[in-house]
């Protein structure tokens, strides 16, 4: 969706007006509380009793978790990574986050030894995908609560093993689909629920577009712009990769490109969009269809195609993927992930008979009127709101403009960590918003999507695949 500046501002203003109309009683209350998002998601401070935690995997996603830690909730005591280059980068992140206190955070290269420590209550797992299940299950069996990054696991069978291990051990298991804790998406959901705003929703367009070709930049080398095909740092060349189960150093560094260790574009990118679409559809369908869980709707079928049409670097996963999903209510979702053009960026467009709600880059939301010029204000908003807002609907703009804490700028990483820590300190008070059942559902959709794209056939989803208590799984069908 390419909009000029005037259209963007009108779209932001429309959304701000609609949000005021739908949540006028809640927003004033949020301004007065110490932590806006903590209040909204239903947890409070830990009053000087943070959870002792460790990070396993210090790559890019792991360092995002370091940057998101709130010391009032989590005391990071150790981290693990087998690559010296990642250890070095983690130290930089830790020093930037905790200053001189970072020196007390211990490096334990072998995560099995880290899990043997009795003083660690919770672990954040940000390892390559094929290690999610074994590490998570071992952690819970050793008494740790777990926040495991998405995708939950590489197979549906492994996802179910993880969920059952959580029940058997009594440990909490959260899966890192952070949009379940995004305040931006929460506000978008409130608007999407209003039938008089969007009308009948029959289509959502979801996408994640990147350009990993270098875009013709002179002198650019492949590893400079394609992070999945990163160069092997000199300090990593002495890593005993075989000791840790890798076939080569390239597989260790470029694990996302191999089918044994990763699941490509859908696992790393598309799983976020389909998770968001399932949440949005739960809102717009008004729970009339029970095909799904408490917080999301499951698709009925998927058709797709995946190709490796550009890169000839030996990667096994697709560089372009296109999918069509059939959801309840005769609603269709389309998804595309490409690696040769970044014009659209990433996001979701909820398309109704009266208007379009566009959520872009987890930062901005636009509400555009249907059957009119895009730069037209929505009349019902002007009638019902005496003073339409001119403030941007980006969370960063809300923070600076509304005088609120910077929790509003979070994309959900911070809140998912805080909530899990709060639940650990308050046993029996609930479960993570993205627990084993939701993580399993997202994994089913993602992994079956890859099957459909690679086999180029339509696949119907079986309800038993989404059931933690069933041994049925798509990879064994």
């Amino acid at each position: 969706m390419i909009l000029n500046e005037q259209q963007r501002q009108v779209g932001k203003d429309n959304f701000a007006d609609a949000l005021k109309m739908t949540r006028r009683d809640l927003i004033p209350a949020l301004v007065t509380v110490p932590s806006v998002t903590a209040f909204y998601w239903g947890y409070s401070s830990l009053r000087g009793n943070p959870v002792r935690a460790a990070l396993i995997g210090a790559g890019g996603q792991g360092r995002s978790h370091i940057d998101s830690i709130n010391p009032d909730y989590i005391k990071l005591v150790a981290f693990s990574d087998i690559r010296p280059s990642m250890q070095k980068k983690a130290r930089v992140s830790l020093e930037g986050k905790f200053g001189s206190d970072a020196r007390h955070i211990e490096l334990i290269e072998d995560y099995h030894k880290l899990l043997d420590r009795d003083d660690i209550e919770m672990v954040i797992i940000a390892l390559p995908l094929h290690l999610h299940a074994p590490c998570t299950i071992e952690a819970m069996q050793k008494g740790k609560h777990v926040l495991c990054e998405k995708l939950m696991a590489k197979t549906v069978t492994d996802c179910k093993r993880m969920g059952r291990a959580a029940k058997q051990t009594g440990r909490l298991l959260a899966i890192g689909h952070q949009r379940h804790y995004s305040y931006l998406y929460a506000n978008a959901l409130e608007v999407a629920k209003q039938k008089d705003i969007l009308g009948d929703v029959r289509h959502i367009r979801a996408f994640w577009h990147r350009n990993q070709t270098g875009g013709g930049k002179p002198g650019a080398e492949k590893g400079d712009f394609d992070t999945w095909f990163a160069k092997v740092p000199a300090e990593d060349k002495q890593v005993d990769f075989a000791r840790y189960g890798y076939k080569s150093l390239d597989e260790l560094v470029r694990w996302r490109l191999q089918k044994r260790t990763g699941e490509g574009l859908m696992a790393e990118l598309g799983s976020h969009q389909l998770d968001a679409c399932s949440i949005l559809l739960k809102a717009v369908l008004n729970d009339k269809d029970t095909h799904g869980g408490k917080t999301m709707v499951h698709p009925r079928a998927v058709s797709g195609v995946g190709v490796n049409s550009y890169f000839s670097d030996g990667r096994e996963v697709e560089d372009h993927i296109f999918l069509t999903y059939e959801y309840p209510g005769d609603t269709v979702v389309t998804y595309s992930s490409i690696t040769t053009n970044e014009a659209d960026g990433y996001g979701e467009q909820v398309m109704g008979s009266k208007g379009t709600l566009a959520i872009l880059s987890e930062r901005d939301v636009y509400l555009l009127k249907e059957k009119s010029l895009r730069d037209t204000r929505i009349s019902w908003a002007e009638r019902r709101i005496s003073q339409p807002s001119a403030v941007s609907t980006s969370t960063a703009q809300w923070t600076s403009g509304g005088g609120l804490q910077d929790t509003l700028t979070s994309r959900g990483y911070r809140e998912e960590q805080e909530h899990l820590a709060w639940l650990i300190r308050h046993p029996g008070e609930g479960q993570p918003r993205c627990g084993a059942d939701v993580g399993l559902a997202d994994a089913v959709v993602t992994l079956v999507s890859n099957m459909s794209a690679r086999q180029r056939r339509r696949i119907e989803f079986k309800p038993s695949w989404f059931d933690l208590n069933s041994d049925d799984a798509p990879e064994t069908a």
Side-chain angles (χ1 to χ4, degrees):
M1 174 176 286
I2 299 176
L3 305 173
N4 62 36
E5 287 303 314
Q6 182 181 8
Q7 292 164 344
R8 285 177 180 271
Q9 187 60 55
V10 170
K12 291 177 180 180
D13 291 345
N14 284 336
F15 179 76
D17 291 350
L19 189 60
K20 285 183 178 180
M21 183 179 70
T22 58
R23 297 178 65 180
R24 59 177 64 188
D25 294 331
L26 180 58
I27 289 177
L30 293 181
V31 176
T32 64
V33 297
S35 175
V36 174
T37 47
F39 174 87
Y40 183 78
W41 298 120
Y43 61 89
S44 57
S45 70
L46 294 187
R47 297 185 177 88
N49 188 20
V51 171
R52 293 178 62 86
L55 171 70
I56 301 177
Q61 200 73 350
R63 296 196 301 278
S64 291
H65 277 284
I66 290 175
D67 294 340
S68 301
I69 288 174
N70 182 345
D72 292 336
Y73 289 81
I74 292 174
K75 179 178 178 59
L76 192 67
V77 298
F79 77 99
S80 174
D81 202 283
I82 65 174
R83 295 175 56 189
S85 64
M86 296 298 104
Q87 297 168 7
K88 182 178 179 180
K89 289 182 178 181
R91 283 295 180 195
V92 173
S93 294
L94 291 169
E95 290 172 5
K97 180 73 177 183
F98 302 110
S100 60
D101 289 340
R103 67 181 185 275
H104 301 300
I105 300 173
E106 184 178 355
L107 166 65
I108 305 175
E109 191 170 286
D110 186 339
Y111 78 74
H112 302 287
K113 295 180 180 179
L114 181 150
L115 292 176
D116 287 333
R117 283 183 47 165
D118 293 333
D119 63 327
I120 294 174
E121 304 170 84
M122 163 188 165
V123 292
I124 299 171
I125 297 173
L127 291 168
L129 178 59
H130 72 298
L131 295 175
H132 284 190
C135 184
T136 295
I137 292 171
E138 180 182 348
M140 291 188 292
Q141 289 175 341
K142 291 183 175 179
K144 277 61 175 171
H145 303 278
V146 176
L147 168 55
C148 178
E149 258 305 325
K150 60 82 192 149
L151 195 64
M152 186 174 181
K154 198 174 182 306
T155 68
V156 171
T157 298
D158 276 346
C159 292
K160 294 185 177 186
R161 288 177 56 231
M162 293 164 68
R164 292 170 187 176
K167 290 183 179 181
Q168 291 166 359
T169 60
R171 300 296 90 183
L172 293 167
L173 173 59
I175 306 300
H177 290 282
Q178 76 273 6
R179 281 169 175 76
H180 290 269
Y181 288 97
S182 166
Y183 193 67
L184 183 71
Y185 275 84
N187 282 302
L189 280 173
E190 291 297 328
V191 173
K193 290 177 182 178
Q194 310 304 315
K195 295 285 286 186
D196 62 330
I197 295 177
L198 291 182
D200 291 322
V201 174
R202 290 292 177 263
H203 176 49
I204 297 180
R205 174 182 175 253
F207 48 92
W208 195 313
H209 297 170
R210 305 187 298 173
N211 191 333
Q212 295 175 290
T213 71
K217 295 178 182 178
E221 298 182 24
K222 185 170 178 55
D224 295 334
F225 46 81
D226 185 355
T227 57
W228 289 17
F229 197 86
K231 299 175 183 178
V232 177
E235 58 262 53
D236 291 350
K237 291 184 178 180
Q238 302 305 314
V239 173
D240 185 358
F241 56 84
R243 174 189 172 192
Y244 297 103
Y246 291 92
K247 295 180 178 180
S248 67
L249 191 56
D250 280 353
E251 186 184 57
L252 168 60
V253 174
R254 301 165 183 165
W255 62 268
R256 290 181 178 86
L257 301 179
Q258 308 303 317
K259 290 182 179 178
R260 192 182 77 86
T261 50
E263 282 292 336
L265 292 169
M266 282 306 302
E268 298 302 313
L269 306 178
S271 59
H272 281 305
Q273 265 66 59
L274 272 299
D275 177 64
C277 289
S278 292
I279 299 171
L280 289 163
L281 283 174
K282 188 71 171 179
V284 301
L285 291 174
N286 294 320
D287 297 329
K288 291 180 180 179
D289 196 296
T290 59
H291 192 74
K294 294 181 180 179
T295 61
M296 59 202 308
V297 176
H298 303 156
R300 297 190 182 279
V302 59
S303 306
V305 58
V307 295
N308 194 332
S309 61
Y310 182 86
F311 293 104
S312 57
D313 50 21
R315 68 181 62 195
E316 297 177 351
V317 299
E318 300 77 13
D319 56 26
H320 290 69
I321 195 163
F322 307 91
L323 296 151
T324 300
Y325 298 87
E326 303 165 39
Y327 273 85
D330 293 325
T331 304
V332 173
V333 170
T334 58
Y335 178 75
S336 60
S337 186
I338 65 177
T339 58
T340 55
N341 186 286
E342 62 181 14
D344 282 333
Y346 70 96
E348 303 83 30
Q349 295 177 14
V350 184
M351 306 174 78
S353 58
K354 294 183 179 180
T356 297
L357 183 70
I359 310 169
L360 302 181
S361 303
E362 298 177 82
R363 185 183 62 220
D364 294 306
V365 186
Y366 305 97
L367 179 59
L368 303 168
K369 185 177 180 181
E370 183 63 9
K371 293 183 179 178
S372 70
L373 295 175
R374 284 179 173 170
D375 58 357
T376 300
R377 287 297 299 246
I378 293 178
S379 59
W380 53 258
E382 290 183 330
R383 287 198 307 268
R384 298 185 64 170
I385 306 298
S386 59
Q387 293 182 333
S389 171
V391 178
S392 165
T393 53
S394 74
T395 49
Q397 287 292 330
W398 287 356
T399 303
S400 60
L404 304 180
Q405 290 189 354
D406 66 0
T407 50
L408 283 180
T409 65
S410 168
R411 292 183 297 157
Y413 288 99
R414 179 173 178 172
E415 289 72 28
E416 66 184 358
Q417 293 176 1
E418 290 178 348
H419 190 215
L420 180 57
W422 186 86
L423 290 171
I424 291 170
R425 286 288 179 264
H426 297 81
E429 291 294 318
Q431 290 289 321
R433 293 180 61 80
C434 186
D437 54 343
V438 177
L440 168 63
D442 285 326
V444 169
V445 174
T446 299
L447 295 170
V448 173
S449 296
N450 271 345
M451 292 173 60
S452 173
R454 290 166 182 171
Q455 299 171 16
R456 301 197 178 190
R457 67 183 179 95
R458 179 179 180 273
I459 300 178
E460 293 186 0
F461 291 89
K462 295 175 61 176
S464 57
W465 293 345
F466 297 94
D467 183 359
L468 272 172
N469 298 315
S470 170
D471 291 332
D472 201 8
E475 64 268 14
T476 60

